[in-house]
Amino acid sequence: MPRVALATYDPRPEPHLDRDLPVLLAALRGAGAGADAVSWDDPEADWSAYDLVVIRSTWDYSWRAAEFLAWAERCGRVTRLANPPAVVRWSTDKRYLGDLAAAGVPVVPTRFLAPGDPADLPEDHEYVVKPTSGAGARYAARYLPEDGGAARAQLARMHAEGLTAMVQPYMRGIDAGGERALQFFGGRLLHASRKGAVLAPGTAYDAKKVPHPGLERWTPRPAERAVAERALAAVPGAPELLYARVDLVDGDEPGEVRVMELELVEPNLFLFLHPGSVDTVRDAILAAAAGR
């Protein structure tokens, strides 16, 4: 049986911040595979000893993006990395939303403000400011037009740290319909979930947020599945993706669905919410490790 590494940032045993990690380890070992949880930045790790390295909960990567991308490239040279290094590099920077829009995928309208760009902020609608590389709503906040001073202070902080900002209209559909996450594994829809709004009015950009409020199971509508599949088909090079999560929100028009973001690096699988998906994930990982 193959050897599989689940890359994380905290390989300690339970209780673990990644609730799925011990479940996956047990499932893989129960099938006879050699499976280890390994910190992605462990200098002693021998990645070549594994048939497959699956990026799972490397949840500190956005703070150390250059280091993480260099690791992905090194790892991909000595073994199979899922997802592939080229996908990791493309999807760790949310400027990929521009690529998706150019390919005709309906995305949340987004402007990008790099360090040195003027702080051109909306004056007629509520909006969100967040970094192009981030996770867990880090450095994300929503603003009313009259909150320009606070928003510009956030931009100044981000730009001083070398971060490029995204400015998006606040999608009010989130307040009623939430944000839906469609999870794909092994090229097929695995399951879907829905969560409530993460960004509350008046919450500071550097405050700690609950990343998945009100998380629940969700049955995706045909329109949601169609948009998710269009987004994945637009990933450059049509790479083989072991896993993918597409986060969707309602647009302004009735029935309109837009892509909020793609999670192609370390998406939370929410297996604790969908325990029936564990065997499917296990089998897809084993097949990938065997080169199938």
Side-chain angles (χ1 to χ4, degrees):
M1 292 295 287
R3 292 196 66 197
V4 177
L6 304 181
T8 182
Y9 81 109
D10 179 12
R12 295 175 298 176
E14 296 185 78
H16 197 280
L17 291 177
D18 179 3
R19 295 169 62 180
D20 294 336
L21 192 65
V23 173
L24 277 181
L25 286 173
L28 290 166
R29 290 167 180 168
D36 300 311
V38 187
S39 180
W40 70 269
D41 60 353
D42 182 353
E44 304 299 322
D46 179 10
W47 303 105
S48 66
Y50 296 98
D51 300 290
L52 175 70
V53 176
V54 183
I55 302 175
R56 285 305 317 122
S57 42
T58 56
W59 291 338
D60 60 343
Y61 87 85
S62 64
W63 283 265
R64 307 160 63 186
E67 184 182 354
F68 180 74
L69 291 174
W71 166 79
E73 296 288 349
R74 291 196 306 273
C75 188
R77 285 195 292 267
V78 299
T79 189
R80 184 176 185 185
L81 180 68
N83 283 317
V87 171
V88 173
R89 180 171 295 279
W90 179 79
S91 59
T92 51
D93 188 326
K94 293 185 179 65
R95 280 177 282 199
Y96 65 69
L97 288 171
D99 296 339
L100 296 182
V105 177
V107 302
V108 174
T110 307
R111 291 187 298 111
F112 302 98
L113 300 180
D117 290 342
D120 182 17
L121 296 172
E123 298 181 352
D124 59 352
H125 61 266
E126 193 173 15
Y127 57 94
V128 171
V129 177
K130 58 186 177 182
T132 57
S133 180
R138 171 181 176 249
Y139 277 17
R142 57 189 277 195
Y143 296 102
L144 295 169
E146 57 265 31
D147 298 328
R152 282 188 286 274
Q154 176 183 346
L155 285 173
R157 168 86 176 270
M158 292 170 60
H159 286 169
E161 296 185 17
L163 299 174
T164 294
M166 305 164 59
V167 180
Q168 299 174 318
Y170 182 72
M171 306 302 291
R172 292 198 168 275
I174 296 177
D175 295 333
E179 182 178 331
R180 282 87 71 192
L182 274 62
Q183 189 82 53
F184 293 78
F185 219 97
R188 298 179 180 179
L189 180 66
L190 180 68
H191 55 237
S193 312
R194 180 173 71 170
K195 67 180 181 180
V198 174
L199 300 179
T203 301
Y205 69 91
D206 53 357
K208 189 173 182 179
K209 294 129 182 139
V210 177
H212 307 295
L215 190 68
E216 61 182 357
R217 295 188 184 194
W218 179 253
T219 300
R221 303 191 304 266
E224 294 172 342
R225 183 165 182 170
V227 169
E229 291 172 347
R230 284 177 61 189
L232 294 178
V235 176
E240 182 178 343
L241 301 174
L242 177 61
Y243 54 84
R245 199 180 85 207
V246 186
D247 293 343
L248 304 171
V249 295
D250 292 325
D252 294 331
E253 301 299 324
E256 184 182 46
V257 179
R258 291 185 176 270
V259 174
M260 175 73 77
E261 64 180 306
L262 298 183
E263 292 278 4
L264 306 182
V265 181
E266 34 65 277
N268 196 321
L269 300 178
F270 307 132
L271 293 177
F272 57 86
L273 193 65
H274 303 273
S277 295
V278 173
D279 289 353
T280 301
V281 172
R282 176 203 63 201
D283 292 347
I285 290 175
L286 293 176
R292 300 195 304 271

